[in-house]
Amino acid sequence: MNAIHSCFKAQIGEVVLPGDVFQFDVSSVEEDSNIKSEKIVCGPGLRRNGDEILVYKSGILRHKQPSMYWIDSQQKRYVPVKGESVIGIVTAKSGDIFKVDVGGSEQASLSYLAFEGATKRNRPNVQVGDLVYAQFIIANKDMEPELVCIDSCGRANGMGVFGAGGFLFKVSLGLVRRLLAPQSEMVKDLEKIFPFEMVVGLNGRVWVKAKSVQQTLIIANLLESCENMTAQQRRALFKRVAEGAL
Amino acid sequence: MELDINSPVLREFGSEQSLLSKPDGSATFMQGDTSVMVGVYGPAEVKVNKEIYDRATLEVLIQPKSGMPSVRERTREQCVRETCEAALLSTLHPRSSLTLVLQVVHDDGSLLACCLNAACMVLMDAGLPMSRLFCGVTCAIDAEGQIITDPTAQQEKESRALLTFAIDSKEHNVMMSSTKGSFSMKEMQQCIAVSQKASERIFQFYRDSVKRRYSKIL
């Protein structure tokens, strides 16, 4: 473990660029035959090439115990990943599938049977232009991505078609991940201003709804401005809004 | 002026990333008075006739400062495209399109090198998978046989030969070369050595600018 971790350690939390290489000293492991084989997980931005690990994206190197490493980058374009929840826009209805735009390179398909309580007789009420919150069940580079609005037990579990009202806007994928992080300070600070509903898709789309249109827009503008602010600047801005004209 | 291979003279450079809201990645790169702005779109949907089944289709468009793109822009586009293709891991996004749009803001010499640097910057900004970075360096050989790195438009006009190289960040190999005028084998080798030396400074600059960009969320 230490042999592998030591080559990453100096760089954790630092900016890395494509082409950077992490090498570990293999010889020390081979000599000592009673070391058990260790696994490390390379997340987005890292790939293995023989004895070394290559960086292929620019961003910040992150680490999670015991042995997960990935690159945290601020990009705008979404690439579907299996299991991620996203906000999609229904663009077409053809036979028994809906085509959904998720912001990736290809439209995803969504079966009409993949909703809670849907049967061949009882079709879900989905129109072109509707928003859906759904999860990827198939997502790889060689196949058309496929969405479902149910979990493995057949329950909606928060997924499905959005109700009327609310406001949808796009932010960077980095900001979305910061919003979804457990105990996100940003969301906690925002909740103090006034109550609102929020849906965050990992594809960079955020949907918010508050009591009035004005409040919805304030929340949306605040979230958009969080993109390029330090925690201090954000707190100062939120405080001003909370005390301000409202 | 005597040529010192170990510290080639480069004009001041500057850059900015993520400055446009619509594209998936954007950057500007300035070398002296030469300035290029780039936007990249992708991986996006691709037209059926341009689809490649095992990798992404890369398209590079260079818009001149005024007027329509001509043959000169076409050759530059090809140079930039082939360099980007060599650095990008396009097999990770098959059947999709990547479009790079470069707008020349001002041309004061070393334009192709500036385009290459801007292109690398924008690919990093968009978070596209790359196996290595690259940079462009232009060398001019004047009438007395002296090598000038990063020449201005005036210096380019007075030069006997003009060589532009794309250098990769891993082994500092030449990825692409574009030359004009006559020069000897030895002069070319010298120019490559100078460019490799100059590339280190540019790569360091890339690192510093990316660090600056991520400084707020570190």
Side-chain angles (χ1 to χ4, degrees), chain B residues 9-196:
Chain B
V9 183
L10 296 173
R11 290 177 287 177
E12 285 284 309
F13 25 71
S15 86
E16 198 179 334
Q17 282 182 299
S18 302
L19 65 160
L20 304 175
S21 62
K22 286 286 167 194
D24 297 315
S26 53
T28 53
F29 201 90
M30 285 155 271
Q31 290 175 230
D33 289 336
T34 307
S35 167
V36 175
M37 187 183 277
V38 211
V40 66
Y41 299 86
E45 218 157 325
V46 65
K47 275 191 204 148
V48 179
N49 58 352
K50 285 185 182 165
E51 188 176 283
I52 308 175
Y53 69 92
D54 62 346
R55 62 190 161 94
T57 309
L58 179 65
E59 209 175 345
V60 177
L61 299 165
I62 297 184
Q63 302 291 339
K65 193 175 173 185
S66 61
M68 296 292 282
S70 63
V71 181
R72 232 176 339 151
E73 275 73 33
R74 287 272 177 279
T75 56
R76 281 196 193 112
E77 281 170 12
Q78 198 181 346
C79 290
V80 175
R81 195 183 65 235
E82 281 168 4
T83 313
C84 292
E85 273 174 354
L88 281 168
L89 297 164
S90 54
T91 50
L92 293 182
H93 296 293
R95 288 167 290 101
S96 59
S97 87
L98 301 174
T99 312
L100 239 81
V101 186
L102 294 104
Q103 172 68 55
V104 178
V105 180
H106 188 71
D107 178 11
D108 186 30
S110 314
L111 184 63
L112 180 56
C114 192
C115 286
L116 285 165
N117 292 334
C120 186
M121 213 73 185
V122 85
L123 294 180
M124 275 197 285
D125 183 55
L128 293 168
M130 279 197 285
S131 60
R132 61 199 60 209
L133 300 174
F134 57 88
C135 72
V137 184
T138 299
C139 300
I141 304 174
D142 67 10
E144 286 97 58
Q146 271 176 356
I147 297 172
I148 305 162
T149 48
D150 199 13
T152 61
Q154 184 64 31
Q155 284 168 324
E156 274 187 4
K157 214 180 271 175
E158 289 160 1
S159 68
R160 160 161 66 89
L162 203 63
L163 305 93
T164 304
F165 301 104
I167 312 279
D168 89 277
S169 67
K170 269 190 164 168
E171 284 107 23
H172 295 277
N173 285 335
V174 176
M175 293 173 86
M176 186 278 301
S177 80
S178 161
T179 62
K180 205 172 89 180
S182 63
F183 48 85
S184 69
M185 196 69 181
K186 199 181 156 218
E187 282 172 324
M188 177 158 168
Q189 297 288 7
Q190 250 174 353
C191 286
I192 292 176
V194 174
S195 307
Q196 283 170 333

Side-chain angles (χ1 to χ4, degrees), chain A residues 161-237:
Chain A
V161 185
F162 281 63
F167 182 63
L168 182 81
F169 59 99
K170 281 200 73 181
V171 295
S172 84
L173 303 187
L175 181 62
V176 156
R177 282 195 298 270
R178 274 191 281 160
L179 283 171
L180 287 173
Q183 269 97 49
S184 163
E185 274 186 33
M186 212 180 286
V187 178
K188 272 188 189 160
D189 292 349
L190 211 55
E191 278 168 347
K192 286 178 200 149
I193 300 176
F194 38 67
F196 62 98
E197 279 182 87
M198 177 162 77
V199 182
V200 183
L202 273 165
N203 56 343
R205 293 195 178 133
V206 181
W207 179 92
V208 286
K209 189 180 177 184
K211 243 189 316 194
S212 65
V213 174
Q214 192 197 18
Q215 290 194 345
T216 305
L217 288 173
I218 290 168
I219 294 285
N221 286 333
L222 284 177
L223 277 171
E224 275 181 336
S225 61
C226 283
E227 190 96 53
N228 291 312
M229 274 196 288
T230 60
Q232 244 174 351
Q233 288 170 319
R234 189 183 67 228
R235 257 172 248 134
L237 174 71

